[in-house]
């Protein structure tokens, strides 16, 4: 099957969908509202399922070459003591592919390069679900206008209770580990090392939406300055103008369907989740491969989209629920007794427990694309 497909949204999900459709014979146009195609974020972790999806789309090799493999790290407390160590090599043995970290701009560029430039149109938005095409893919993000039009009763995104400040360092930083998460009361600080020696860091704070700081970096240096190495070093290696600040939103009420007629919802438009498991983009990449595979199996767009919904909705909503639970156990805990109980449980957990938890989401085999 093929035809004319319009993908609304040129984020990771929309570009991946366009690659899958283009490879399987569709004439694809990606419409992106923003003036330039990019990804407003710092860095991203991709687990094995995300990399396998990229493999199926033909861009896995390029992403692996640009990414940094994450072998060492784990979860700590602000004084630096370890709650759980992550054995990245054991994870790689179990699932075949290590976790990887890559700047978002780099991932986005590699996805763009897998498409003919003529597919991509920027500065074009406000498409509606009724617009003519054989297939419309709504990859327009957490605030999807197409989702709101298809499901006017759906309550839409809900603030997660947290705000995230993040950046990529301006220069290389000496790090002892590839990735870390540190949980203090009501706050998390983490890093992902990149192949070029720089790193992404993020600070998550339990916070109502809309709280902003005149000088975010000074605020963070005061808030996290006494935390263990490398937290202060990462902040010291960052330029004030590089700090991004976003409140995080999720779809707590699942959408009734990822498919309505010839319209497919994909990525955050379908299942925006909290970032606690680092799975949002990985799930968007899975969506893209399944969408292309089901459409290739025919016999009609409607039948293929109905199977896409049946495959993807249980999987992505399960991961979203797990991400929400993980958030409640992490930085959202602030009562000292609850923090102490969580920390004791993590220290006592058998060493394979973290790997088993990650494997639940990372173990995924893409359907073959023709
Ligand atoms: P988006 O990236 O939001 O793209 C939607 C696009 O649609 C935008 O470019 C927007 O401009 C465009 N658009 C909107 N409306 C219109 C319109 N009407 N017309 C045209 N264009 C339109 N995931 C991971 O897998 N690993 C991680 O480590 C990870 N870390 C994260 C850390 C944080 C702090 C956050 C917030 C998220 C994280 N995620 C992670 C999740 C991941 O970022 C998202 O799930 C993913 O980027 C969603 O991609 P998308 O293409 O669906 O949506």
């Amino acid at each position: 099957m093929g035809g004319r497909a319009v993908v609304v949204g040129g984020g990771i999900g929309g570009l991946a969908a366009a690659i899958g459709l283009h490879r399987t014979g569709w004439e694809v146009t990606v419409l992106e509202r923003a003036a330039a195609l990019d990804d407003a974020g710092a860095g991203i972790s991709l687990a094995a399922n995300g990399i396998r999806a990229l493999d199926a789309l033909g861009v896995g090799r390029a992403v692996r070459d640009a990414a940094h493999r994450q072998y060492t790290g784990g979860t700590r407390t602000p004084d630096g003591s370890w709650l759980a160590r992550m054995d990245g090599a054991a994870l790689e043995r179990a699932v075949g592919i290590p976790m990887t970290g890559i700047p978002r701009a780099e991932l986005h560029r590699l996805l763009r390069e897998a498409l003919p430039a003529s597919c991509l149109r920027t500065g074009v938005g406000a498409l509606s679900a009724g617009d003519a095409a054989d297939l419309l893919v709504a990859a327009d993000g957490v605030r999807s206008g197409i989702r709101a039009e298809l499901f006017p009763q759906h309550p839409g995104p809900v603030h997660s209770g947290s705000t995230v400040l993040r950046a990529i360092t301006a220069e290389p930083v000496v790090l002892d580990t590839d990735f870390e998460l540190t949980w203090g009361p009501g706050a998390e600080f983490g890093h992902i090392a990149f192949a070029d020696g720089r790193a992404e860091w993020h600070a998550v704070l339990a916070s109502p939406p809309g709280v902003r700081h005149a000088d975010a970096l000074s605020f963070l240096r005061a808030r996290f300055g006494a935390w263990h190495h490398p937290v202060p070093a990462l902040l010291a290696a960052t330029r004030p103008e590089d700090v991004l600040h976003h409140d995080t939103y999720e779809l707590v009420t699942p959408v009734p369907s990822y498919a309505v007629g010839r319209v497919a919802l994909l990525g955050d438009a379908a299942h925006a989740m909290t970032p606690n498991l680092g799975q949002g983009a990985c799930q968007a990449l899975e969506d893209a491969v399944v969408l292309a595979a089901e459409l290739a199996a025919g016999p009609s767009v409607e039948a293929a989209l109905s199977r896409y919904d049946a495959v993807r909705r249980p999987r992505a909503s399960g991961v979203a629920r797990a991400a929400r639970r993980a958030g409640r156990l992490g930085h959202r805990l602030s009562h000292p007794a609850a923090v102490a109980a969580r920390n004791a449980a993590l220290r006592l957990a058998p060493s394979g427990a973290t790997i088993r938890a990650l494997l639940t989401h990372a173990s995924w085999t893409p359907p073959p694309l023709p």
Side-chain angles (χ1 to χ4, degrees), residues 100-184:
T100 55
I102 185 168
R104 278 176 184 259
E106 187 78 1
L107 174 62
H108 203 270
R109 181 180 63 76
L110 292 169
L111 292 172
R112 286 198 308 271
E113 284 176 3
L115 285 166
S118 56
C119 288
L120 306 173
R121 292 177 54 196
T122 52
V124 188
L127 200 95
S128 117
D131 282 344
D134 299 314
L135 168 69
L136 185 72
V137 180
D140 49 348
V142 60
R143 303 204 173 278
S144 169
I146 298 178
R147 183 188 62 232
E149 189 185 330
L150 292 176
F151 302 113
Q153 308 299 327
H154 187 273
V158 173
H159 182 243
S160 68
S162 301
T163 198
V164 182
L165 296 104
R166 54 195 166 142
I168 295 177
T169 60
E171 54 200 63
V173 182
V174 177
L175 298 168
D176 302 328
T177 58
D178 298 321
F179 65 95
E180 284 180 19
L181 287 183
T182 299
W183 286 335

Side-chain angles (χ1 to χ4, degrees), residues 175-235:
L175 298 168
D176 302 328
T177 58
D178 298 321
F179 65 95
E180 284 180 19
L181 287 183
T182 299
W183 286 335
E188 167 185 304
F189 196 99
H191 76 251
I192 308 171
F194 291 148
D196 63 4
R198 294 177 308 150
E200 183 225 55
W201 57 259
H202 70 263
V204 190
L205 296 160
S207 163
V211 176
R212 291 295 178 270
H213 309 278
D215 180 346
L217 197 52
S218 298
F219 162 75
L220 291 168
R221 286 176 181 154
R223 179 73 174 76
F224 294 97
W227 286 30
H228 65 81
H229 173 78
V231 176
L234 287 160
L235 294 173

